[in-house]
Amino acid sequence: MRQLSEDELRLVLSKLVKYIGDNSKLLIERHDETYCFRLHKERVYYCSERLMKASGNISNDNLISLGTCFGKFTKTKKFRLAMTALEYLAPYAKFKVWLKPSAEQSFLYGNHVLKSGLGRISENTNQYQGVVVYSMADLPLGFGVAAKSTLSCRNADPMAIVCFHEADIGEYLRNEDIL
């Protein structure tokens, strides 16, 4: 377990800024405790400094995880957000997409969101902006990237893709056989 290098931290924060904007500062500068990002086996963990110091007594070979996994670095050194980060991203999300009940299951199976399944979208959402996907009951389902801006969604064909799928809460079930 080690501290992130400058390049790694820049990649992580740029991905977080894509989804929550300037609110990414609020993840580290919390009122209750100081939190930090740590790298262990190509995975980025978000944990309190108190927990990080306590884990110093455990060797890296015996340490499985620490805090909440926010994502991992691919072999090409790109950062990919994990589904476990949704709990921390959802309250700070600037841009949101709500799905109709008929489109929720399709999204949870890993499909993109079509215009026909779009319930509503945040105002002033730009194309290729990171969005958090919600059900109409305000339950966070996952996150993705807006394929169209808010204005172009209004005039889009019902079968046009309006949000590209990135991750969803159904991944736990789909990836169960891998573990």
Side-chain angles (χ1 to χ4, degrees):
M1 175 184 60
R2 67 171 175 82
Q3 192 173 6
L4 289 134
S5 69
E6 283 186 32
D7 291 336
E8 292 167 341
L9 185 62
R10 184 178 42 79
L11 286 171
V12 170
L13 290 178
S14 67
K15 184 67 94 164
L16 290 177
V17 165
K18 182 178 179 181
Y19 289 96
I20 61 177
D22 293 336
N23 292 336
S24 57
K25 295 175 189 173
L26 298 175
L27 288 175
I28 297 172
E29 301 167 1
R30 293 174 51 157
H31 300 299
D32 53 350
E33 257 187 282
T34 306
Y35 275 68
C36 59
F37 292 105
R38 290 291 182 253
L39 184 73
H40 182 65
K41 297 182 180 177
E42 298 302 315
R43 299 198 188 289
V44 176
Y45 292 95
Y46 177 69
C47 64
S48 67
E49 287 191 356
R50 182 182 49 80
L51 179 64
M52 186 216 25
K53 289 176 184 174
S55 70
N57 298 329
I58 303 170
S59 69
N60 281 344
D61 295 335
N62 294 332
L63 187 66
I64 295 173
S65 70
L66 175 73
T68 303
C69 181
F70 252 56
K72 70 176 198 171
F73 284 102
T74 62
K75 292 182 181 183
T76 58
K77 296 300 178 195
K78 293 181 181 174
F79 181 69
R80 182 179 167 118
L81 275 174
M83 193 59 238
T84 49
L86 181 64
E87 180 182 338
Y88 297 94
L89 294 179
Y92 299 118
K94 287 188 168 190
F95 302 103
K96 302 174 185 180
V97 169
W98 287 268
L99 299 182
K100 292 178 181 175
S102 59
E104 289 177 20
Q105 187 173 7
S106 176
F107 180 76
L108 294 177
Y109 282 150
N111 297 321
H112 302 307
V113 177
L114 301 177
K115 167 74 163 67
S116 60
L118 182 68
R120 59 183 207 237
I121 187 169
S122 298
E123 288 296 319
N124 300 326
T125 302
N126 296 325
Q127 188 176 16
Y128 306 123
Q129 176 69 49
V131 294
V132 175
V133 180
Y134 285 87
S135 68
M136 290 304 278
D138 282 336
L139 175 73
L141 300 175
F143 43 86
V145 176
K148 297 184 179 297
S149 66
T150 304
L151 295 175
S152 61
C153 282
R154 292 183 182 140
N155 301 328
D157 180 51
M159 297 307 292
I161 296 174
V162 294
C163 180
F164 296 121
H165 178 272
E166 289 260 321
D168 64 83
I169 57 178
E171 285 183 12
Y172 292 116
L173 298 174
R174 290 195 306 272
N175 294 336
E176 184 178 86
D177 58 344
I178 295 173
L179 300 173

